[in-house]
Amino acid sequence: MLALINDGLDLMRWRVRAAEHYQYPAWQIGLVLLLLGIIAAAGATPIGGSIEGKMLFFTLFGAAETLLMAQFMRWWLRLAKSPVEHSLLGLLVAAGLVQVITPLTSWLPADVANIATVAIAFYGVSVMWHALTTISGVSRMRVLAGILLFSPLAAVLMVFAFSTGGNLGLIEMPSEMPAVSNPQDQAAPSSTGENGY
């Protein structure tokens, strides 16, 4: 477990090793995903529900998103004629450890905390971007294009996950977020020619 944490710290300092180095036991990956899920649940104050339900939801959602991205990026790098033979899951989980500093923003004034949260999110993406570029040998723009192409898939997963989580009673969506709490209501505008996300 200590090796995974140290690897995460190295990635934050732009130190990247070969892809085979980031292969960890499943229990370690699961433990980190649980930690990141707890952090995400704690930060999602507008979303209601029991503590246990929110923790379970955000852990499962984070795990599904990470697994999907690991598979997508392996496919994308294969298209670039630079296939990565080893799983990218461990690398993405280690890079995701950047999120553990997010709770520190709660000590800041609200406006500053919002800016800091966005900055941490962008920093996390840059860490992942640099790591994927380094292990694959593909150009930075090619890797960035893959990350951007994954965004619509992540958005679809988010809508599905939040809708399912609400239906199962794991979370309670606030009334001011109708697009996520009831995505079926958003189907009508798209059918009349309006652009949706």
Side-chain angles (χ1 to χ4, degrees):
M1 188 67 189
L2 185 60
L4 197 161
I5 295 173
N6 287 335
D7 288 340
L9 293 173
D10 281 344
L11 290 174
M12 294 180 207
R13 293 177 290 180
W14 315 111
R15 299 175 181 174
V16 184
R17 302 190 185 187
E20 58 266 24
H21 177 78
Y22 301 99
Q23 309 304 309
Y24 309 106
W27 70 268
Q28 293 186 9
I29 292 177
L31 196 58
V32 172
L33 289 173
L34 174 60
L35 172 63
L36 297 179
I38 292 172
I39 292 173
T45 51
I47 298 176
S50 67
I51 296 175
E52 297 82 1
K54 289 176 65 174
M55 287 172 51
L56 177 60
F57 171 79
F58 280 100
T59 299
L60 293 176
F61 173 59
E65 185 179 39
T66 306
L67 282 167
L68 181 61
M69 185 170 195
Q71 292 302 315
F72 178 86
M73 291 307 299
R74 281 193 75 188
W75 169 79
W76 181 253
L77 294 173
R78 191 176 300 117
L79 286 183
K81 309 300 183 185
S82 183
V84 177
E85 300 300 329
H86 298 274
S87 171
L88 296 175
L89 180 60
L91 175 68
L92 295 182
V93 168
L97 283 171
V98 172
Q99 299 173 41
V100 300
I101 63 179
T102 302
L104 298 178
T105 61
S106 62
W107 299 346
L108 302 172
D111 292 342
V112 179
N114 291 335
I115 295 173
T117 300
V118 172
I120 292 171
F122 274 104
Y123 175 55
V125 172
S126 68
V127 167
M128 177 180 62
W129 180 16
H130 176 71
L132 289 171
T133 300
T134 303
I135 67 165
S136 65
V138 176
S139 70
R140 289 185 176 274
M141 293 309 298
R142 176 79 186 196
V143 174
L144 179 60
I147 294 173
L148 294 176
L149 284 174
F150 176 74
S151 298
L153 293 177
V156 171
L157 175 63
M158 181 184 70
V159 172
F160 174 77
F162 275 75
S163 176
T164 303
N167 291 336
L168 293 177
L170 296 177
I171 55 173
E172 297 174 3
M173 300 303 300
S175 57
E176 61 270 18
M177 296 178 67
V180 174
S181 59
N182 192 3
Q184 293 83 359
D185 294 342
Q186 305 302 311
S190 61
S191 63
T192 58
E194 297 182 20
N195 292 328
Y197 186 73

